[in-house]
Amino acid sequence: MRIKSCPVRIKAAGENEGTEEGVFEAIVAAYNLDSVGDKITPGAFAETLAAWKSTGDPIPVLWSHMSHDPEYHIGEVLEAEERPEGLWVKARIDLDEGSKAARVYKLLKGRRVTQFSFAYDVEEGAWVDQKDGEGYYELRKLKLYEVGPTLIGANQATELLDVKSADGATMRIAVEGASAAQTEELRQALTGAMAAKAGRTLSQKNEERVKDIARLAKELLDSLSSSTDDDEKATPTPPEQSSPQKPAAKETPAGPSPASLRQLADLEALEAEVSTLTG
């Protein structure tokens, strides 16, 4: 599941702006080229909106994608349709006194929150080249999961890295917090790695960069493996009993998180892949 944000101005929120209290209207997804090089095409939401309507279930409104906490499920979409400027929604926020939803509604009315974000999957998309050399990824069919206000949307400081292989395929990577020079260096290294995979010879410069990637992956892998082993060894030993009393129940260690295990698996795959390229 992916998330994407859209800076917006609330079209209406509350009785003084033409809607009932607790209701707002907004464009939550725009058709312009965004900060990570994606462009949603008109009609991309048509099938998913029809699917939601057929179920009779409302599209959830969440604050900043906080799906794990029921208190941040702040409302529901009443109407949704694609308009010339993007995906428009009319939604109702729960106004229970003292609730997080009521607080979010106050922020919306006061224009103190001016971005919306939505969670989605790409069901159909393609890279589009342009004559000036600058291309973009066209999102043609999306599956919508939820929408909602957010203070700072995702990908505000993310740059899209595109690496093309010999067969014309494009690998797309989001690079956060890197300088332009670092991004270009990574692009060249990955291009060299993909060339080697296609059977071409790596230049000495690119070979060194690929080896650096393999080294960093191995260091992270060793670090994570060590951390995982420490977690598994952390089972406490129950104290000795001076009398034949029933021993106290010992705590079960939490162990590595699912995110750590996923990262471990990803790094193992990366190290193995890059090792095949560098011999």
Side-chain angles (χ1 to χ4, degrees), residues 54-128:
S54 68
T55 66
D57 300 327
I59 300 170
V61 177
L62 273 60
W63 167 257
S64 288
H65 311 289
M66 300 281 282
S67 60
H68 65 281
D69 187 339
E71 290 208 24
Y72 288 100
H73 290 242
I74 59 174
E76 62 181 2
V77 172
L78 303 174
E79 300 176 41
E81 64 184 34
E82 290 189 280
R83 294 187 173 182
E85 63 268 44
L87 177 61
W88 167 89
V89 301
K90 179 178 181 181
R92 176 184 291 114
I93 291 183
D94 305 324
L95 293 182
D96 300 332
E97 188 174 350
S99 67
K100 287 184 171 63
R103 179 62 180 166
V104 171
Y105 183 63
K106 184 176 180 180
L107 294 173
L108 289 175
K109 289 186 68 176
R111 314 295 183 185
R112 292 158 65 184
V113 171
T114 60
Q115 293 196 23
F116 270 75
S117 190
F118 63 98
Y120 68 100
D121 275 334
V122 180
E123 295 193 326
E124 185 180 327
W127 180 257
V128 176

Side-chain angles (χ1 to χ4, degrees), residues 118-213:
F118 63 98
Y120 68 100
D121 275 334
V122 180
E123 295 193 326
E124 185 180 327
W127 180 257
V128 176
D129 286 312
Q130 298 188 116
K131 293 181 179 179
D132 59 6
E134 293 294 328
Y136 59 90
Y137 194 76
E138 193 170 70
L139 303 177
R140 298 173 179 173
K141 182 180 176 184
L142 302 178
K143 183 176 182 180
L144 182 67
Y145 293 106
E146 47 94 350
V147 304
T150 186
L151 180 61
I152 301 175
N155 301 324
Q156 295 288 310
T158 301
E159 182 174 348
L160 189 68
L161 175 66
D162 302 303
V163 183
K164 291 193 176 182
S165 64
D167 60 2
T170 301
M171 179 169 61
R172 312 183 72 243
I173 303 171
V175 181
E176 296 184 7
S179 66
Q182 290 170 326
T183 301
E184 180 57 28
E185 185 174 353
L186 179 58
R187 185 196 309 273
Q188 291 178 18
L190 290 173
T191 299
M194 294 177 75
K197 190 172 183 180
R200 304 207 307 271
T201 303
L202 280 173
S203 68
Q204 183 177 358
K205 187 176 181 180
N206 277 337
E207 183 175 355
E208 290 302 316
R209 288 174 176 156
V210 173
K211 287 180 178 178
D212 284 341
I213 294 173

Side-chain angles (χ1 to χ4, degrees), residues 33-53:
L33 185 65
D34 68 19
S35 61
V36 296
D38 289 342
K39 188 174 183 180
I40 303 171
T41 62
F45 293 99
E47 289 191 24
T48 191
L49 292 181
W52 273 106
K53 188 173 183 179

